[in-house]
Structure formats: C-alpha cells, structure tokens
C-alpha cells in the first residue's frame, strides 16, 4: 500500500501504485479547479483506491460514497484497465465523481445521473470519448434516445444503460462547449435546488424552452459535432439563413420530446465508468 496526501493506494505493482497515488493528488486539485474554480477542502479521511492494472483488462471503475450531514464520507474507489487507460481516463473519470459529489453534498443530493456520468466522461482520453460518439449515433438510429425531461429526471440507472452514458456525455459536452465547465456546474447548482431544469436551462444558458436545447443538440449531433455556436444561435433566437439550414437538414432519427414532468433525484452512493457489456452493482464493466 502507498499513501499520498488524500489517498491510500493498493496495487500489486508497487511502482505503479506510487505513480497512481501521485497522480490522484494531482488530479484531485486539477479537476477541482477545472469544475469549481478552487481546490476541494480536505476529506475527513484518506480514500482507499484499489488499482487493478493489466494489459488484458478493459477500462472500468467504481466510486462509492455516503452522503451524511452535508458531506461525503466513506469514499472508496476502484480503477481497472491498462496502465495507460487508468491514468488518462479511468482515474480522471472517478476523480470527477468525487469532486462533484463533494461540491453538491451540502444539498444532500447527488448530481443527476446523466450529468454525473456525462461530465466524468468529458475528462477521459479522446480515444474513450470517441467510443461514446459512435455508440450515440447507433442508439439514436435505433430510436433508443432518451427524451430530455425523462433524462433529467432519472432517479436510477435505466435497464438500457449505455444510451444514458452516451447521451449524457454528448449533452454535457454540448453545454460545456458553450460556456465552460464552471458554468455547467452553475447550471447544476441552479437546477438541483428544486429540480426545475426548464428554468435552469433558461436562466443559465438562455434557452427559452427545453425543446430549444434538445433541437439544437439534435442538429449538432446529426452534423457530426464541432463548433456549437451556429446551433446555439438558432436555439437562442439569433437566426440567420445559413444557420437555419442546420435545422432543415435534421432529418435523421432524433430524441423524442416528452411532456412528462421532471421529478426529484434521490441520493446517489455509487458511480462508475461505462462500458458496453454488463452492469454489476452500479459499475459497468467493459
């Protein structure tokens, strides 16, 4: 076992454990500033971090914690995969879970499922993010997309899990591309107060209705991503003939709009890095 300022790292490879311990502390600071603009306060105890590294292991991870008295306690992390994927994808993903959980613990609520997993995926290596881009197109083509109101209101992971990860990542990337990661956290702060995501998207990003956001995102995905400004300008009412064409071209399968009400999100105690095969206790294994 190797101890760092914030972690107790356990691995069969002592030298790699030292490297992971050092990077875990670096990532804790770096991603806290990335998302929040400041470092996290100290946790009440060092976090046990189990490392399973092997050239044959697929990338996966799990973070467990307990919300109690406005703080998170009993944090536990497991990261698995090749050494490269652990360092450039799994560890940043799981670290973002702990950062967001720490920030929002005072509310007694976790981050909504789509936003928690989606935000964590945005800090993974581009090779991992591209997998979600490919899966998203497949899911939308198969009409497995999730209406935004339903997506925002999800209490637990759905039986059809991977569309949540792929769509959540894509929507997070779309919103973050507009105003940065700290504005995205501000949006979550606003929306989690009373679960009024329609008001949150209007107040923070300026979309008149949730449908405007969904339409802009659909067009952006259909056109293959890239600069979001031409799509947001349409949705925000700053139209031009050239930009309007993005919506005329939107004829591929997209996510249906739901009129279902947005409901409350319960306490979260597990989060994991996604993969396309199976789910075990909240963790998806690749």
């Amino acid at each position: 076992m190797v101890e760092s300022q914030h972690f107790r790292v356990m691995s069969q490879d002592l030298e790699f454990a030292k490297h992971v311990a050092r990077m875990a502390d670096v990532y804790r600071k770096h991603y806290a500033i990335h998302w929040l603009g400041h470092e996290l306060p100290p946790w009440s105890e060092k976090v046990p971090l189990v490392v399973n590294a092997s050239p044959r292991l697929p990338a996966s991870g799990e973070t467990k914690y307990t919300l109690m008295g406005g703080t998170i306690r009993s944090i536990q992390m497991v990261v698995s995969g090749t050494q490269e994927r652990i360092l450039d994808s799994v560890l940043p993903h799981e670290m973002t879970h702990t950062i967001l959980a720490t920030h929002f613990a005072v509310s007694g609520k976790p981050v909504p499922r789509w936003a928690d997993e989606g935000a964590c995926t945005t800090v993974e290596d581009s090779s991992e993010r591209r997998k979600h881009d490919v899966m998203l197109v497949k899911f939308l083509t198969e009409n497995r997309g999730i209406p935004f109101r339903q997506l925002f209101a999800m209490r637990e992971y759905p039986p059809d899990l991977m569309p949540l990860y792929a769509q959540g990542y894509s929507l997070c990337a779309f919103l973050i591309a507009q105003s940065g990661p700290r504005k995205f956290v501000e949006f979550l702060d606003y929306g989690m107060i009373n679960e009024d995501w329609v008001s949150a998207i209007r107040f923070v990003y300026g979309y008149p209705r949730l449908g405007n956001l969904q339409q802009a995102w659909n067009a952006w995905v259909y056109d293959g991503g890239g600069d979001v400004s031409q799509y947001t300008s349409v949705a925000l009412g700053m139209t031009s003939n050239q930009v309007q064409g993005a919506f005329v071209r939107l004829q591929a399968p997209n996510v249906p709009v739901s009129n279902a009400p947005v409901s409350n999100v319960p306490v979260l105690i597990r989060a994991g890095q996604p993969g396309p095969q199976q789910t075990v206790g909240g963790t998806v294994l690749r």
Side-chain angles (χ1 to χ4, degrees):
M1 181 176 70
V2 176
E3 292 200 7
S4 67
Q5 182 178 357
H6 301 287
F7 298 90
R8 296 199 314 272
V9 179
M10 289 150 279
S11 173
Q12 293 182 343
D13 184 332
L14 181 60
E15 289 305 311
F16 187 57
K18 292 178 181 178
H19 191 34
V20 170
R22 181 170 62 254
M23 292 309 300
D25 281 337
V26 169
Y27 285 157
R28 186 183 188 274
K29 176 179 179 179
H30 172 79
Y31 287 112
I33 294 173
H34 173 79
W35 292 108
L36 310 176
H38 56 79
E39 294 186 48
L40 291 181
W43 289 321
S44 59
E45 55 192 357
K46 291 188 178 182
V47 172
L49 198 173
V50 177
V51 179
N52 301 311
S54 169
R56 296 176 299 277
L57 276 178
S60 68
E62 181 181 47
T63 295
K64 302 178 185 178
Y65 59 86
T66 301
L67 287 175
M68 182 184 301
T71 61
I72 62 170
R73 301 178 183 274
S74 304
I75 308 171
Q76 300 177 50
M77 297 175 64
V78 179
V79 295
S80 303
T82 65
Q83 291 188 2
E84 182 182 17
R85 286 291 87 87
I86 286 173
L87 292 173
D88 69 17
S89 296
V90 184
L91 190 57
H93 182 113
E94 300 305 320
M95 198 63 62
T96 295
H97 277 309
T98 66
I99 290 165
L100 295 179
T102 301
H103 175 73
F104 288 103
V106 67
S107 71
K109 301 177 182 180
V111 181
R113 299 296 192 188
W114 70 271
D116 195 22
E117 299 298 349
C120 291
T121 304
T122 66
V123 300
E124 293 183 22
D125 184 72
S126 60
S127 63
E128 293 296 306
R129 289 184 277 120
R130 280 195 295 269
K131 295 177 184 178
H132 291 280
D133 291 331
V134 172
M135 286 191 291
L136 177 64
V137 173
K138 177 178 182 292
F139 296 145
L140 296 184
T141 303
E142 296 171 347
N143 292 320
R144 292 166 64 189
I146 307 169
F148 275 22
R149 284 182 178 271
Q150 180 183 340
L151 184 73
F152 285 12
M154 280 186 173
R155 295 173 177 270
E156 298 298 338
Y157 293 105
D160 192 10
L161 183 65
M162 291 314 299
L164 171 70
Y165 279 89
Q167 190 173 330
Y169 156 64
S170 180
L171 179 54
C172 286
F174 184 71
L175 291 172
I176 291 168
Q178 295 173 51
S179 303
R182 297 173 195 174
K183 180 66 72 172
F184 179 71
V185 172
E186 179 185 334
F187 162 68
L188 296 178
D189 275 317
Y190 190 99
M192 289 172 63
I193 292 174
N194 58 8
E195 307 301 331
D196 185 355
W197 296 102
V198 175
S199 295
I201 203 68
R202 182 186 306 119
F203 178 79
V204 178
Y205 288 104
Y207 292 96
R209 296 179 302 277
L210 201 57
N212 296 102
L213 169 64
Q214 185 165 320
Q215 189 179 21
W217 172 79
N218 272 326
W220 177 71
V221 170
Y222 176 62
D223 282 351
D227 183 10
V228 303
S229 60
Q230 63 172 334
Y231 306 97
T232 59
S233 64
V234 173
L236 296 173
M238 298 173 288
T239 60
S240 69
N241 291 334
Q242 180 181 6
V243 174
Q244 192 71 20
F247 289 95
V248 174
R249 293 196 304 275
L250 185 56
Q251 298 174 355
N254 55 32
V255 178
V257 177
S258 170
N259 293 320
V262 177
S263 56
N264 292 332
V265 180
V267 173
L268 169 72
I269 59 172
R270 285 176 183 260
Q273 191 190 30
Q277 294 183 3
Q278 85 183 85
T279 305
V280 180
T283 304
V284 185
L285 307 177
R286 293 177 191 263

